[in-house]
Amino acid sequence: MSEWTLLAVPAGFLLDLLAGDPHWLYHPVRLVGKLIEILEKALRRCFPKTEKGEKAAGLLLALLVPALTGGAAWGVLYLAGRVNPWLAFALEILMCYQLFAVRALKDESMKVYRALKKPDLSEARQAVSMIVGRDTDRLDEAGVTKAAVETVAENTSDGIIAPMLYMAVGGPVLGWIYKAVNTMDSMVGYKNETYLYFGRCAAKLDDLVNFIPARISAVMMMLACIPCRFDRRGAARIFRRDRFNHASPNSAQTEAVMAGALGVQLAGDAWYFGKRYKKKTIGDAGRPVEPEDIPRANRLLYVSAVLSLAVFLLVRWGILLWLHI
């Protein structure tokens, strides 16, 4: 990572806070999604429709998607640098900006909050369905609120701190490799009949690349409880107790901190594709979940993101200084 990248990451972060994810701007993650679709169709044709065949095809997908995405990102920056260094720097900022989702996550979750405050449960269910993967038509007000808060908690890592960490280490190229893995998992990493074997490598790779970032994110969220005036002791206690109360080894890390910080109980049983799945709860039901917990969750999200940015860049700056001594 160059000194220019040290400036591009905070510039991209600031741009995300100001502009968010406007619908008129084509997002490169759509290209990653299209690449995954094309490769999936091709690999399924090339490999036999057996358990071993689907696992082999899935392994190849898990190797090709990050490699091609990272190669494309590096190639664009390299060619831009050959034309003009300032053009390459501008593209670095743009690529970093498109990896962040702070403003978009807040905006989408606050749509749920505003619908609940009207109150319009039908509108709230529709709004939360845009940011969660579960069925929402059966959710009551508490269920809709919990779903929104859980999404903010989980994506504090997946959508903000994890890509920020990878960008701090390897610039936008490594950041986009992470994003490719994350996108691949969201498309094929399901334990259903279609993807049980084909998507297994993608899901395991996503678990791997999020293992350290999820735990760093949890620590940053606990520290952010102090300026937010949330229950930092409760956050630490629930984190230690419930951070593995999820099928994923990573998702409950930040959800546990959020539950403890707010003093509410999250997770529990959920419906997916018309089927109810039994899940452990996270946190203690110290009080009922309420719509105001959504803006509270966003406050913790913002403070955690700013704190993480400062820590990551200070560490990287210190390493660069040490290398130049």
Side-chain angles (χ1 to χ4, degrees):
M1 179 175 132
S2 68
E3 290 84 349
W4 289 111
T5 307
L6 196 61
L7 298 174
V9 175
F13 180 76
L14 181 60
L15 193 57
D16 175 66
L17 294 184
L18 294 173
D21 185 17
H23 295 294
W24 55 264
L25 182 63
Y26 188 86
H27 202 291
V29 78
R30 297 182 188 178
L31 293 175
V32 178
K34 193 66 179 176
L35 172 65
I36 294 167
E37 289 179 3
I38 293 170
L39 287 175
E40 179 183 353
K41 290 178 182 177
L43 290 169
R44 285 188 183 276
R45 285 196 300 266
C46 294
F47 286 83
K49 292 177 174 59
T50 62
E51 179 181 338
K52 287 185 177 180
E54 291 197 1
K55 283 182 178 179
L59 173 61
L60 197 52
L61 180 81
L63 294 173
L64 286 173
V65 172
L68 292 172
T69 302
W74 180 86
V76 168
L77 289 174
Y78 174 78
L79 292 174
R82 294 294 297 266
V83 174
N84 188 297
W86 288 105
L87 176 61
F89 179 56
L91 282 175
E92 274 199 77
I93 293 175
L94 181 63
M95 291 168 71
C96 290
Y97 153 62
Q98 290 175 321
L99 284 165
F100 287 115
V102 184
R103 175 71 179 272
L105 185 56
K106 187 205 79 169
D107 288 349
E108 293 302 315
S109 62
M110 288 304 289
K111 288 178 183 177
V112 181
Y113 170 74
R114 287 190 291 271
L116 289 170
K117 295 297 286 184
K118 284 184 180 180
D120 188 334
L121 185 56
S122 177
E123 183 181 332
R125 286 170 173 165
Q126 175 60 30
V128 82
S129 72
M130 304 303 292
I131 56 175
V132 299
R134 73 192 68 175
D135 298 345
T136 61
D137 55 330
R138 294 179 175 87
L139 297 178
D140 57 10
E141 179 181 297
V144 169
T145 304
K146 282 173 58 177
V149 171
E150 289 163 16
T151 296
V152 172
E154 184 176 352
N155 283 282
T156 297
S157 176
D158 291 0
I160 295 124
I161 297 178
M164 184 189 294
L165 175 62
Y166 281 107
M167 282 186 279
V169 173
V173 173
L174 190 58
W176 273 101
I177 290 174
Y178 167 79
K179 192 67 174 180
V181 173
N182 200 241
T183 303
M184 184 168 52
D185 176 63
S186 69
M187 292 179 65
V188 305
Y190 297 103
K191 293 181 179 179
N192 56 27
E193 186 177 347
T194 305
Y195 293 110
L196 180 61
Y197 302 121
F198 183 83
R200 184 168 295 180
C201 281
K204 294 296 183 184
L205 182 59
D206 186 72
D207 287 343
L208 179 64
V209 300
N210 278 297
F211 189 86
I212 292 174
R215 286 147 183 80
I216 291 176
S217 298
V219 172
M220 293 300 175
M221 289 173 69
M222 283 186 274
L223 292 174
C225 285
I226 300 172
C228 287
R229 297 186 178 181
F230 292 150
D231 186 358
R232 62 183 176 86
R233 289 187 177 87
R237 179 176 62 85
I238 299 301
F239 171 74
R240 288 193 298 270
R241 192 190 75 190
D242 293 349
R243 60 197 175 104
F244 293 115
N245 285 10
H246 200 286
S248 163
N250 303 316
S251 297
Q253 305 288 323
T254 49
E255 286 186 35
V257 176
M258 184 68 77
L262 299 181
V264 298
Q265 189 173 81
L266 300 176
D269 296 354
W271 291 79
Y272 294 89
F273 307 107
K275 182 179 179 181
R276 185 173 184 172
Y277 288 82
K278 300 290 289 183
K279 292 186 174 185
K280 293 181 180 179
T281 57
I282 297 173
D284 296 327
R287 61 172 178 82
V289 176
E290 60 184 13
E292 293 300 326
D293 286 319
I294 298 175
R296 289 176 189 135
N298 280 310
R299 197 187 322 158
L300 189 60
L301 157 71
Y302 266 68
V303 176
S304 301
V306 172
L307 178 63
S308 299
L309 181 68
V311 170
F312 295 164
L313 293 183
L314 280 173
V315 170
R316 185 65 203 192
W317 181 61
I319 292 172
L320 286 174
L321 282 179
W322 180 76
L323 290 174
H324 283 87
I325 292 175

